[in-house]
mmCIF file of all heavy atoms in Angstrom:
data_model
loop_
_atom_site.group_PDB
_atom_site.id
_atom_site.type_symbol
_atom_site.label_atom_id
_atom_site.label_comp_id
_atom_site.label_asym_id
_atom_site.label_seq_id
_atom_site.Cartn_x
_atom_site.Cartn_y
_atom_site.Cartn_z
ATOM 1 N N SER A 1384 7.220 -27.996 52.741
ATOM 2 C CA SER A 1384 7.135 -29.205 53.547
ATOM 3 C C SER A 1384 8.053 -29.120 54.762
ATOM 4 O O SER A 1384 7.883 -29.883 55.710
ATOM 5 C CB SER A 1384 7.491 -30.428 52.708
ATOM 6 O OG SER A 1384 8.839 -30.354 52.283
ATOM 7 N N THR A 1385 8.998 -28.198 54.716
ATOM 8 C CA THR A 1385 9.857 -27.964 55.877
ATOM 9 C C THR A 1385 9.008 -27.457 57.027
ATOM 10 O O THR A 1385 8.052 -26.731 56.828
ATOM 11 C CB THR A 1385 10.936 -26.937 55.532
ATOM 12 O OG1 THR A 1385 11.705 -27.424 54.454
ATOM 13 C CG2 THR A 1385 11.827 -26.652 56.717
ATOM 14 N N ASN A 1386 9.348 -27.798 58.221
ATOM 15 C CA ASN A 1386 8.524 -27.440 59.357
ATOM 16 C C ASN A 1386 8.355 -25.933 59.534
ATOM 17 O O ASN A 1386 7.233 -25.430 59.617
ATOM 18 C CB ASN A 1386 9.124 -28.026 60.631
ATOM 19 C CG ASN A 1386 8.266 -27.741 61.851
ATOM 20 O OD1 ASN A 1386 7.043 -27.813 61.780
ATOM 21 N ND2 ASN A 1386 8.879 -27.407 62.948
ATOM 22 N N LEU A 1387 9.452 -25.220 59.570
ATOM 23 C CA LEU A 1387 9.380 -23.813 59.930
ATOM 24 C C LEU A 1387 9.613 -22.913 58.712
ATOM 25 O O LEU A 1387 10.582 -23.078 57.996
ATOM 26 C CB LEU A 1387 10.437 -23.511 60.995
ATOM 27 C CG LEU A 1387 10.195 -22.330 61.925
ATOM 28 C CD1 LEU A 1387 8.882 -22.497 62.675
ATOM 29 C CD2 LEU A 1387 11.354 -22.216 62.912
ATOM 30 N N MET A 1388 8.659 -21.998 58.479
ATOM 31 C CA MET A 1388 8.791 -20.999 57.420
ATOM 32 C C MET A 1388 8.831 -19.620 58.064
ATOM 33 O O MET A 1388 8.300 -19.415 59.163
ATOM 34 C CB MET A 1388 7.618 -21.071 56.453
ATOM 35 C CG MET A 1388 7.583 -22.321 55.611
ATOM 36 S SD MET A 1388 8.950 -22.401 54.419
ATOM 37 C CE MET A 1388 8.607 -20.984 53.369
ATOM 38 N N GLY A 1389 9.428 -18.677 57.359
ATOM 39 C CA GLY A 1389 9.530 -17.341 57.935
ATOM 40 C C GLY A 1389 9.560 -16.242 56.910
ATOM 41 O O GLY A 1389 9.795 -16.492 55.723
ATOM 42 N N TRP A 1390 9.277 -15.030 57.362
ATOM 43 C CA TRP A 1390 9.468 -13.821 56.565
ATOM 44 C C TRP A 1390 10.674 -13.072 57.128
ATOM 45 O O TRP A 1390 10.790 -12.892 58.352
ATOM 46 C CB TRP A 1390 8.231 -12.933 56.620
ATOM 47 C CG TRP A 1390 7.151 -13.372 55.688
ATOM 48 C CD1 TRP A 1390 6.086 -14.184 55.981
ATOM 49 C CD2 TRP A 1390 7.029 -13.037 54.307
ATOM 50 N NE1 TRP A 1390 5.312 -14.368 54.862
ATOM 51 C CE2 TRP A 1390 5.867 -13.677 53.815
ATOM 52 C CE3 TRP A 1390 7.779 -12.260 53.417
ATOM 53 C CZ2 TRP A 1390 5.435 -13.569 52.488
ATOM 54 C CZ3 TRP A 1390 7.351 -12.139 52.111
ATOM 55 C CH2 TRP A 1390 6.204 -12.783 51.660
ATOM 56 N N TYR A 1391 11.522 -12.668 56.215
ATOM 57 C CA TYR A 1391 12.706 -11.897 56.551
ATOM 58 C C TYR A 1391 12.579 -10.527 55.890
ATOM 59 O O TYR A 1391 11.814 -10.359 54.939
ATOM 60 C CB TYR A 1391 13.965 -12.571 56.003
ATOM 61 C CG TYR A 1391 14.245 -13.960 56.497
ATOM 62 C CD1 TYR A 1391 13.513 -15.058 56.048
ATOM 63 C CD2 TYR A 1391 15.296 -14.206 57.386
ATOM 64 C CE1 TYR A 1391 13.793 -16.343 56.488
ATOM 65 C CE2 TYR A 1391 15.592 -15.488 57.821
ATOM 66 C CZ TYR A 1391 14.843 -16.556 57.360
ATOM 67 O OH TYR A 1391 15.142 -17.823 57.791
ATOM 68 N N ARG A 1392 13.379 -9.586 56.344
ATOM 69 C CA ARG A 1392 13.434 -8.295 55.653
ATOM 70 C C ARG A 1392 14.847 -7.743 55.721
ATOM 71 O O ARG A 1392 15.603 -8.057 56.642
ATOM 72 C CB ARG A 1392 12.448 -7.297 56.251
ATOM 73 C CG ARG A 1392 12.767 -6.821 57.670
ATOM 74 C CD ARG A 1392 11.650 -5.911 58.169
ATOM 75 N NE ARG A 1392 11.923 -5.422 59.519
ATOM 76 C CZ ARG A 1392 11.047 -4.723 60.233
ATOM 77 N NH1 ARG A 1392 9.834 -4.439 59.726
ATOM 78 N NH2 ARG A 1392 11.370 -4.299 61.441
ATOM 79 N N GLN A 1393 15.161 -6.938 54.721
ATOM 80 C CA GLN A 1393 16.467 -6.295 54.683
ATOM 81 C C GLN A 1393 16.288 -4.835 54.285
ATOM 82 O O GLN A 1393 15.845 -4.546 53.168
ATOM 83 C CB GLN A 1393 17.409 -6.996 53.712
ATOM 84 C CG GLN A 1393 18.821 -6.459 53.740
ATOM 85 C CD GLN A 1393 19.806 -7.357 53.027
ATOM 86 O OE1 GLN A 1393 19.432 -8.173 52.180
ATOM 87 N NE2 GLN A 1393 21.072 -7.230 53.369
ATOM 88 N N ALA A 1394 16.614 -3.957 55.207
ATOM 89 C CA ALA A 1394 16.560 -2.523 54.948
ATOM 90 C C ALA A 1394 17.896 -2.075 54.360
ATOM 91 O O ALA A 1394 18.925 -2.728 54.563
ATOM 92 C CB ALA A 1394 16.262 -1.770 56.239
ATOM 93 N N PRO A 1395 17.916 -0.962 53.649
ATOM 94 C CA PRO A 1395 19.170 -0.465 53.060
ATOM 95 C C PRO A 1395 20.255 -0.294 54.104
ATOM 96 O O PRO A 1395 20.039 0.310 55.159
ATOM 97 C CB PRO A 1395 18.755 0.882 52.459
ATOM 98 C CG PRO A 1395 17.299 0.754 52.196
ATOM 99 C CD PRO A 1395 16.767 -0.110 53.293
ATOM 100 N N GLY A 1396 21.418 -0.876 53.827
ATOM 101 C CA GLY A 1396 22.554 -0.731 54.728
ATOM 102 C C GLY A 1396 22.498 -1.594 55.976
ATOM 103 O O GLY A 1396 23.349 -1.469 56.856
ATOM 104 N N LYS A 1397 21.494 -2.461 56.058
ATOM 105 C CA LYS A 1397 21.346 -3.308 57.253
ATOM 106 C C LYS A 1397 21.372 -4.774 56.865
ATOM 107 O O LYS A 1397 21.137 -5.139 55.719
ATOM 108 C CB LYS A 1397 20.052 -2.977 57.984
ATOM 109 C CG LYS A 1397 20.012 -1.582 58.580
ATOM 110 C CD LYS A 1397 18.783 -1.390 59.439
ATOM 111 C CE LYS A 1397 18.775 -0.018 60.100
ATOM 112 N NZ LYS A 1397 17.575 0.166 60.959
ATOM 113 N N GLN A 1398 21.625 -5.616 57.856
ATOM 114 C CA GLN A 1398 21.601 -7.051 57.623
ATOM 115 C C GLN A 1398 20.169 -7.549 57.526
ATOM 116 O O GLN A 1398 19.239 -6.954 58.080
ATOM 117 C CB GLN A 1398 22.328 -7.767 58.765
ATOM 118 C CG GLN A 1398 23.836 -7.593 58.748
ATOM 119 C CD GLN A 1398 24.529 -8.521 59.728
ATOM 120 O OE1 GLN A 1398 23.948 -8.905 60.742
ATOM 121 N NE2 GLN A 1398 25.758 -8.885 59.435
ATOM 122 N N ARG A 1399 20.011 -8.647 56.812
ATOM 123 C CA ARG A 1399 18.703 -9.276 56.722
ATOM 124 C C ARG A 1399 18.302 -9.774 58.101
ATOM 125 O O ARG A 1399 19.115 -10.364 58.823
ATOM 126 C CB ARG A 1399 18.750 -10.424 55.730
ATOM 127 C CG ARG A 1399 17.414 -11.003 55.363
ATOM 128 C CD ARG A 1399 17.607 -12.004 54.221
ATOM 129 N NE ARG A 1399 17.960 -11.334 52.985
ATOM 130 C CZ ARG A 1399 18.500 -11.941 51.934
ATOM 131 N NH1 ARG A 1399 18.775 -13.232 51.995
ATOM 132 N NH2 ARG A 1399 18.787 -11.273 50.847
ATOM 133 N N GLU A 1400 17.037 -9.559 58.478
ATOM 134 C CA GLU A 1400 16.567 -10.008 59.786
ATOM 135 C C GLU A 1400 15.285 -10.819 59.632
ATOM 136 O O GLU A 1400 14.485 -10.596 58.727
ATOM 137 C CB GLU A 1400 16.312 -8.803 60.709
ATOM 138 C CG GLU A 1400 15.223 -7.864 60.233
ATOM 139 C CD GLU A 1400 14.860 -6.800 61.261
ATOM 140 O OE1 GLU A 1400 15.114 -6.992 62.462
ATOM 141 O OE2 GLU A 1400 14.287 -5.773 60.844
ATOM 142 N N LEU A 1401 15.106 -11.734 60.559
ATOM 143 C CA LEU A 1401 13.912 -12.571 60.579
ATOM 144 C C LEU A 1401 12.832 -11.840 61.368
ATOM 145 O O LEU A 1401 13.068 -11.439 62.502
ATOM 146 C CB LEU A 1401 14.241 -13.911 61.232
ATOM 147 C CG LEU A 1401 13.133 -14.932 61.366
ATOM 148 C CD1 LEU A 1401 12.609 -15.359 60.001
ATOM 149 C CD2 LEU A 1401 13.643 -16.149 62.143
ATOM 150 N N VAL A 1402 11.643 -11.677 60.775
ATOM 151 C CA VAL A 1402 10.600 -10.916 61.468
ATOM 152 C C VAL A 1402 9.449 -11.770 61.976
ATOM 153 O O VAL A 1402 8.788 -11.403 62.945
ATOM 154 C CB VAL A 1402 10.045 -9.770 60.597
ATOM 155 C CG1 VAL A 1402 11.125 -8.746 60.298
ATOM 156 C CG2 VAL A 1402 9.447 -10.285 59.301
ATOM 157 N N ALA A 1403 9.202 -12.907 61.335
ATOM 158 C CA ALA A 1403 8.090 -13.739 61.791
ATOM 159 C C ALA A 1403 8.294 -15.170 61.309
ATOM 160 O O ALA A 1403 8.842 -15.385 60.227
ATOM 161 C CB ALA A 1403 6.756 -13.203 61.270
ATOM 162 N N THR A 1404 7.854 -16.113 62.114
ATOM 163 C CA THR A 1404 7.959 -17.522 61.759
ATOM 164 C C THR A 1404 6.636 -18.229 62.002
ATOM 165 O O THR A 1404 5.817 -17.789 62.828
ATOM 166 C CB THR A 1404 9.044 -18.231 62.578
ATOM 167 O OG1 THR A 1404 8.661 -18.225 63.969
ATOM 168 C CG2 THR A 1404 10.390 -17.557 62.435
ATOM 169 N N ILE A 1405 6.449 -19.344 61.276
ATOM 170 C CA ILE A 1405 5.257 -20.159 61.478
ATOM 171 C C ILE A 1405 5.623 -21.614 61.255
ATOM 172 O O ILE A 1405 6.301 -21.956 60.286
ATOM 173 C CB ILE A 1405 4.103 -19.715 60.558
ATOM 174 C CG1 ILE A 1405 2.837 -20.511 60.863
ATOM 175 C CG2 ILE A 1405 4.485 -19.818 59.080
ATOM 176 C CD1 ILE A 1405 1.569 -19.922 60.242
ATOM 177 N N SER A 1406 5.204 -22.467 62.169
ATOM 178 C CA SER A 1406 5.469 -23.891 62.043
ATOM 179 C C SER A 1406 4.441 -24.530 61.119
ATOM 180 O O SER A 1406 3.433 -23.915 60.752
ATOM 181 C CB SER A 1406 5.424 -24.552 63.416
ATOM 182 O OG SER A 1406 4.081 -24.629 63.869
ATOM 183 N N LYS A 1407 4.667 -25.786 60.797
ATOM 184 C CA LYS A 1407 3.741 -26.488 59.908
ATOM 185 C C LYS A 1407 2.369 -26.651 60.573
ATOM 186 O O LYS A 1407 1.350 -26.738 59.889
ATOM 187 C CB LYS A 1407 4.318 -27.850 59.546
ATOM 188 C CG LYS A 1407 3.686 -28.489 58.331
ATOM 189 C CD LYS A 1407 4.481 -29.692 57.876
ATOM 190 C CE LYS A 1407 3.913 -30.272 56.600
ATOM 191 N NZ LYS A 1407 4.705 -31.425 56.115
#
């Protein structure tokens, strides 16, 4: 129900990053 949803990814040894977002 939150407006913005996203997919994140985390590669070994790296920080989690946001790769894609979609609004409601």
Side-chain angles (χ1 to χ4, degrees):
S1384 64
T1385 301
N1386 183 40
L1387 205 58
M1388 292 292 296
W1390 279 94
Y1391 300 75
R1392 68 184 181 187
Q1393 186 167 21
K1397 294 187 177 181
Q1398 288 191 332
R1399 190 172 290 163
E1400 63 172 338
L1401 179 62
V1402 296
T1404 65
I1405 184 166
S1406 73
K1407 198 169 184 178

